[in-house]
Amino acid sequence: MKTIIIGAGMAGLSAARILVQNGHNVAVLDKSRGVGGRMSTRTIDMAKADHGAQYFSVKTPEFQELISELQFENIAAEWHLAQRENVRYVGTKGMNSIPKKMASTLNVLVNEKVISIENNIAKTESGNEYDFDNLIITIPIPQVIELFRNSKIKFSHNDKNVLRKIEYEPCIAVMAVLKQPTEIVSGGIILENQPVAWIADNFQKGITETPTLTIHASAKYSAEHFDDDLQEVAKDMLSSVNQYINLKNIVTFQTHRWKFSNAIKRYEKPFYQVENLPIYLAGDGFGLGNVEGAFLSGYYLGMNL
Ligand SMILES: Cc1cc2nc3c(=O)[nH]c(=O)nc-3n(C[C@H](O)[C@H](O)[C@H](O)COP(=O)(O)OP(=O)(O)OC[C@H]3O[C@@H](n4cnc5c(N)ncnc54)[C@H](O)[C@@H]3O)c2cc1C
């Protein structure tokens, strides 16, 4: 069976691992330069900052098995946040080190943006064509809808009922390089009812030798300011948290708009087959959500094909 997977984030890589183990012929296509999707680590000169997912929880034995292997290989580690009792996990060299490791034994083709699907062939922007028996799509649902529109594939009534259940929230991220690490207790602070929802000290987290911060705006603030000038938005966010950060300690900063950060409303099952087509939808919009939910979505889809 030849399976093409669109998206080399946690869901796509998780599905690919299981399918390869079960003897399928699998290729994973991703539009970006690297793998990992929203498990993303940015390099700014000598500094590194996780700017998508910050940590993840492990609640299920399926995910625990992978994370224990990665802990053994020093790719993943525990992170204890002072404000939370449950243990969190991170990539030891940044969150992106986890998908990178998962992808290392798979056939992943990057810089391959799928722009249309026609008669069991996925066509990419570069002009390549990939034929498939099964197609797995792990990109956020609004992007799936656009891809289907460009492919002139119509969703059935049932398909539409499933897809309309899934919603994501936006997030504006600021990554700031510092002269010195902060004194933020345990390296991370969760804030409530403020423009900023999260501050992480990536040096204390252990992923960078040059100190950096990651600051995430709340979903409400991100939605209200999504299309504003990001330099001004970043300054506003930074000054709103000056009780935690000495602004004179900032050397430089970068920003990022995540249109789809967390799937806040999800389809209850871990994946969905588009009616009458060999096309399967997976990702964090299905099941548990977040990094673990994306893993389980790919895992259960892989087990069922
Ligand atoms: C700011 C932020 C903070 C977060 N914080 C946390 C957290 O602390 N804990 C947690 O557990 N989760 C967190 N999340 C959510 C978590 O990152 C996601 O739930 C999870 O990584 C989703 O994985 P996925 O495989 O479903 O999707 P993605 O990671 O989005 O993967 C989809 C992939 O598809 C590719 N793609 C898109 N369109 C195409 C196309 N047309 N052709 C080819 N490739 C394409 C993309 O490049 C991407 O690599 C956060 C996310 C963000 C953005």
Side-chain angles (χ1 to χ4, degrees):
M1 276 297 221
K2 189 163 182 189
T3 303
I4 293 294
I5 300 180
I6 307 178
M10 179 50 96
L13 296 173
S14 163
R17 284 172 86 236
I18 297 294
L19 289 167
V20 168
Q21 272 170 32
N22 293 343
H24 292 241
N25 174 355
V26 180
V28 187
L29 310 177
D30 201 291
K31 68 176 179 183
S32 300
R33 275 182 298 152
V35 302
R38 281 170 273 166
M39 294 180 78
S40 161
T41 307
R42 187 180 287 200
T43 304
I44 309 171
D45 300 326
M46 300 295 285
K48 282 206 296 187
D50 284 330
H51 76 301
Q54 298 291 296
Y55 53 71
F56 53 85
S57 50
V58 178
K59 297 177 184 143
T60 57
E62 296 87 342
F63 196 38
Q64 184 68 67
E65 194 181 331
L66 170 68
I67 297 309
S68 298
E69 267 174 44
L70 295 176
Q71 278 183 276
F72 184 74
E73 293 177 78
N74 198 26
I75 307 282
E78 292 186 357
W79 191 24
H80 297 264
L81 269 187
Q83 283 167 286
R84 290 286 182 270
E85 276 181 15
N86 292 352
V87 58
R88 282 359 195 212
Y89 294 83
V90 296
T92 48
K93 296 194 172 65
M95 289 295 271
N96 194 248
S97 51
I98 293 176
K100 258 192 189 156
K101 173 68 185 177
M102 291 169 76
S104 61
T105 52
L106 298 168
N107 178 21
V108 180
L109 300 139
V110 292
N111 296 316
E112 281 290 57
K113 178 175 182 178
V114 177
I115 52 170
S116 72
I117 304 155
E118 284 166 41
N119 302 325
N120 286 45
I121 295 175
K123 298 188 177 184
T124 62
E125 209 165 48
S126 63
N128 290 328
E129 299 192 349
Y130 299 87
D131 62 303
F132 59 82
D133 299 306
N134 288 318
L135 177 69
I136 295 178
I137 309 181
T138 66
I139 68 184
I141 294 305
Q143 296 175 346
V144 176
I145 293 170
E146 196 188 326
L147 179 60
F148 273 46
R149 196 178 296 129
N150 295 341
S151 310
K152 302 197 171 50
I153 302 175
K154 289 218 158 50
F155 289 114
S156 71
H157 181 69
N158 283 346
D159 296 339
K160 285 183 189 160
N161 275 341
V162 169
L163 300 190
R164 70 164 62 101
K165 290 186 178 172
I166 303 170
E167 270 179 38
Y168 305 79
E169 59 185 16
C171 178
I172 296 175
V174 177
M175 285 72 65
V177 180
L178 304 178
K179 290 179 197 148
Q180 285 170 0
T182 67
E183 287 173 6
I184 291 171
V185 179
S186 75
I189 311 178
I190 300 164
L191 299 170
E192 271 160 29
N193 304 319
Q194 298 183 38
V196 167
W198 165 253
I199 309 173
D201 179 328
N202 292 289
F203 178 82
Q204 286 199 50
K205 200 176 175 185
I207 69 163
T208 177
E209 283 177 17
T210 304
T212 62
L213 285 178
T214 303
I215 299 173
H216 284 165
S218 68
K220 181 170 178 288
Y221 182 93
S222 298
E224 285 167 2
H225 296 277
F226 202 74
D227 296 319
D228 293 356
D229 177 342
L230 276 194
Q231 287 294 306
E232 294 306 317
V233 171
K235 285 180 195 160
D236 187 39
M237 286 168 60
L238 287 165
S239 56
S240 80
V241 288
N242 64 5
Q243 71 270 45
Y244 303 105
I245 304 160
N246 173 3
L247 299 184
K248 292 195 180 123
N249 191 15
I250 297 175
V251 179
T252 181
F253 66 83
Q254 294 188 358
T255 56
H256 187 80
R257 281 186 187 92
W258 292 101
K259 193 162 183 192
F260 310 109
S261 66
N262 294 297
I264 40 164
K265 292 191 185 160
R266 300 178 295 277
Y267 180 56
E268 58 279 11
K269 300 203 173 128
F271 61 89
Y272 176 75
Q273 180 176 9
V274 179
E275 270 199 336
N276 306 317
L277 290 174
I279 300 181
Y280 298 82
L281 307 181
D284 66 338
F286 298 82
L288 210 63
N290 285 331
V291 167
E292 183 166 20
F295 168 84
L296 293 171
S297 173
Y299 177 90
Y300 281 112
L301 176 50
M303 294 293 267
N304 278 278
L305 277 188

